[in-house]
Amino acid sequence: STNSTLENEVKPGSKWSTRDLWHCVLLIVFVVLPIRYFVAQPFIVSGASMDPTFADGQYIIVDQLTYKFNNATRGDVIIFRYAGDTSKFFIKRIIGLPGETVKIAGNEIFIKKVGATEFEKLDEQDITKDFSFTAEWTLLPDELFVMGDNRKNSLDSRYFGPIKKDTIIGRAFVRLLPLTTIDYLPGKLNL
């Protein structure tokens, strides 16, 4: 009876049957691919615009579902398609929300929230403020203002303007590589 039990187990080097192959194909088509295209997507950070929060070559998983049910929040790190070339993806931090006015004076950022009459200074304790810029933007209901954490070396909303919400792929959900930097909601700040 022991031999018959062993014959039913998978042994190293045993061949896959056609049935096993079809199960694998169906699993990929109905489980793996929908997750990859609608739930979570991997990206590799390229460039230094988010230093020191994200370094060149880090591997992250992007949550594509949250913003389908919830609004983006200030401080989230998002991945979006660049309007100037939709084949390119950018990673930036949300600074201004729909309907707000964003004012940059020198190296300080001020936000006038929807319905407010006064600007509030954005408290960015963890961001290096080694930049100087002066401008103001009032965001439309479908727009966000984004900036890289490496303010001195970031192509962001200061240069290409606010982004449309429908260009967002998702938010940085998990940093996987290198292993020493594994993190859940990496870079998330409460601004």
Side-chain angles (χ1 to χ4, degrees):
S1 84
T2 304
N3 287 340
S4 64
T5 304
L6 290 175
E7 290 170 7
N8 293 328
E9 292 179 6
V10 175
K11 299 175 190 171
S14 57
K15 306 265 186 212
W16 280 35
S17 69
T18 305
R19 183 174 168 223
D20 293 335
L21 185 58
W22 277 110
H23 283 149
C24 186
V25 168
L26 290 174
L27 179 70
I28 290 170
V29 168
F30 291 107
V31 177
V32 176
L33 291 178
I35 288 173
R36 163 67 170 78
Y37 288 101
F38 302 110
V39 178
Q41 190 172 160
F43 281 90
I44 296 175
V45 176
S46 176
S49 76
M50 285 297 288
D51 278 348
T53 310
F54 291 91
D56 187 58
Q58 289 185 336
Y59 187 87
I60 60 173
I61 301 296
V62 174
D63 161 19
Q64 296 178 260
L65 277 182
T66 296
Y67 296 148
K68 295 195 185 324
F69 304 103
N70 299 300
N71 291 324
T73 59
R74 190 181 336 278
D76 285 356
V77 175
I78 62 169
I79 289 72
F80 61 95
R81 288 187 184 275
Y82 175 49
D85 180 352
T86 57
S87 69
K88 291 183 179 176
F89 298 92
F90 280 16
I91 179 170
K92 304 292 178 200
R93 182 176 305 284
I94 296 174
I95 301 297
L97 300 172
E100 294 182 336
T101 299
V102 177
K103 178 169 71 174
I104 301 176
N107 66 358
E108 296 183 321
I109 302 170
F110 300 89
I111 305 291
K112 187 191 304 178
K113 296 180 179 172
V114 176
T117 56
E118 301 288 323
F119 281 93
E120 295 176 27
K121 183 178 172 198
L122 195 61
D123 181 17
E124 296 186 292
Q125 295 175 356
D126 299 325
I127 306 294
T128 305
K129 298 177 182 80
D130 60 348
F131 73 100
S132 183
F133 201 90
T134 302
E136 187 174 309
W137 300 262
T138 298
L139 307 178
L140 298 175
D142 65 339
E143 291 181 332
L144 297 166
F145 192 88
V146 296
M147 293 176 74
D149 287 357
N150 185 356
R151 301 287 161 80
K152 196 172 186 177
N153 298 303
S154 176
L155 175 61
D156 53 38
S157 288
R158 291 173 292 172
Y159 304 102
F160 54 69
I163 66 164
K164 299 289 186 188
K165 289 195 299 187
D166 65 4
T167 64
I168 297 175
I169 302 300
R171 67 180 177 162
F173 185 62
V174 177
R175 179 179 11 221
L176 290 178
L177 294 173
L179 295 176
T180 56
T181 64
I182 290 177
D183 195 10
Y184 169 72
L185 293 178
K188 170 83 171 137
L189 294 177
N190 295 317
L191 299 177

